[in-house]
Amino acid sequence: MFKNVFGSGFLVRTAHVILTWVITLILFLHDTVLRKQEETGQLVQPVLFVLLVLVSVLLYFAVSLMDPGFILSDDRDLHFTLGVTEEQQDMIPPTTKPLRQRRCGHCLLQQPMRSKHCQTCQHCVRRYDHHCPWIENCVGERNHRWFVFYLAVQLLVLLWGLHIAWTGFSYAPSWQLWLRTNGVLLTVVVLVVLLSLIVLLLLGSHLYLVSLNTTTWEFMSRHRISYLKHCGADENPFDRGTFNNLWGFFCVWGTVVWEQVYFREGSDQV
């Protein structure tokens, strides 16, 4: 389920953890509301903040090290890739969307629908979304929902941290003295603002795509994807309505045979 911690993304993960805890430490060392509450024995908010930061780090490692849905062998995935039988494929009229299995040209394994080979990970990934350099892992069928959970928790940590940092600025009679006194905290605020915007955009875009039951790869490259390029511009054969899409993404566990969904949608249009 999990990959080697000391793999190719070791430096990225180490940098992320160090940056997270350095910023947290700065918030405690400066004259922020966290430090004031700690000094007066009001430990509820400081403890909750540290626990939330810890949860975000644990989620980061979980998403980073989790198997995103690698396809490792034909035998293991045969009952998924053959979700539509040969008889069903023969029943599909020639005018409907074509449905065929294909073999990956890199790892030579049969690819289920919505999977893609990742050049960085050197594996085909089920319901491939994208390869994220931030976590040094693919986002796919098995870790996509955890990736969204992580983004939500990380955004909450960043916004809370921004509020805490804002309370730590101290007055100074001149700009030079103010910058000398608050320079480190100002750097933290700028960095947290930038990270908050990035995480907010990522979270918003992923929730939007999830509500449509499409992936980043399908959204950006549908004109090159064999099972989508014959569809209309506003047609998505996997869309089951916003509520069902969100419910299926967050609440339904297990592998979906997307060939069956595709076949059923295609049959409804005949």
Side-chain angles (χ1 to χ4, degrees):
M1 181 180 179
F2 291 93
K3 302 191 300 182
N4 185 2
V5 179
F6 300 100
S8 59
F10 175 73
L11 292 179
V12 175
R13 298 180 188 111
T14 302
H16 174 85
V17 173
I18 291 175
L19 182 62
T20 298
W21 290 113
V22 165
I23 291 177
T24 303
L25 183 62
I26 291 174
L27 294 179
F28 273 94
L29 292 179
H30 279 72
D31 193 25
T32 63
V33 65
L34 279 185
R35 181 175 180 179
K36 293 175 182 177
Q37 289 178 343
E38 182 188 8
E39 290 176 345
T40 57
Q42 303 175 25
L43 301 179
V44 175
Q45 286 197 40
V47 170
L48 287 178
F49 181 73
V50 171
L51 287 177
L52 191 62
V53 173
L54 182 59
V55 169
S56 74
V57 172
L58 292 177
L59 279 174
Y60 172 81
F61 273 104
V63 174
S64 179
L65 301 175
M66 186 181 294
D67 178 354
F70 291 138
I71 301 169
L72 303 177
S73 68
D74 280 336
D75 292 337
R76 178 183 175 185
D77 297 300
L78 189 59
H79 64 290
F80 296 123
T81 58
L82 298 184
V84 178
T85 63
E86 293 182 4
E87 290 78 8
Q88 286 176 318
Q89 293 189 38
D90 293 338
M91 292 171 58
I92 302 177
T95 56
T96 61
K97 298 183 284 292
L99 184 62
R100 64 180 183 180
Q101 300 297 325
R102 64 176 183 175
R103 193 167 291 275
C104 176
H106 300 277
C107 55
L108 303 180
L109 296 176
Q110 197 173 34
Q111 289 183 326
M113 185 170 285
R114 307 191 81 180
S115 63
K116 182 183 180 296
H117 185 87
C118 175
Q119 297 286 357
T120 305
C121 294
Q122 294 299 309
H123 285 292
C124 287
V125 181
R126 290 185 177 283
R127 197 183 173 277
Y128 176 86
D129 189 87
H130 71 289
H131 183 89
C132 180
W134 185 4
I135 64 174
E136 271 299 312
N137 194 13
C138 282
V139 176
E141 182 179 75
R142 292 186 179 178
N143 66 346
H144 195 174
R145 64 167 59 86
W146 294 110
F147 181 73
V148 174
F149 287 150
Y150 162 69
L151 290 178
V153 173
Q154 187 66 67
L155 181 61
L156 183 58
V157 169
L158 289 169
L159 293 178
W160 195 355
L162 181 62
H163 167 72
I164 292 170
W166 195 262
T167 65
F169 289 119
S170 58
Y171 172 79
S174 66
W175 277 107
Q176 292 81 3
L177 184 58
W178 188 90
L179 287 175
R180 196 177 310 125
T181 306
N182 301 287
V184 174
L185 204 58
L186 179 62
T187 303
V188 168
V189 167
V190 172
L191 181 60
V192 170
V193 167
L194 291 176
L195 291 175
S196 299
L197 290 175
I198 293 173
V199 174
L200 179 61
L201 289 174
L202 280 173
L203 179 61
S205 63
H206 276 276
L207 288 176
Y208 171 73
L209 294 177
V210 166
S211 70
L212 300 177
N213 201 350
T214 190
T215 64
T216 303
W217 173 55
E218 291 171 341
F219 184 79
M220 300 296 294
S221 307
R222 63 177 293 137
H223 61 285
R224 297 190 289 109
I225 299 175
S226 60
Y227 57 85
L228 289 179
K229 63 183 179 181
H230 300 286
C231 302
D234 299 324
E235 182 183 358
N236 178 12
F238 308 111
D239 187 5
R240 293 170 288 186
T242 301
F243 176 80
N244 288 331
N245 292 337
L246 293 172
W247 178 268
F249 181 82
F250 289 108
C251 303
V252 177
W253 299 81
T255 299
V256 178
V257 184
W258 293 110
E259 288 85 351
Q260 291 181 348
V261 178
Y262 188 94
F263 175 76
R264 182 166 57 250
E265 294 296 325
S267 298
D268 293 341
Q269 297 177 9
V270 177

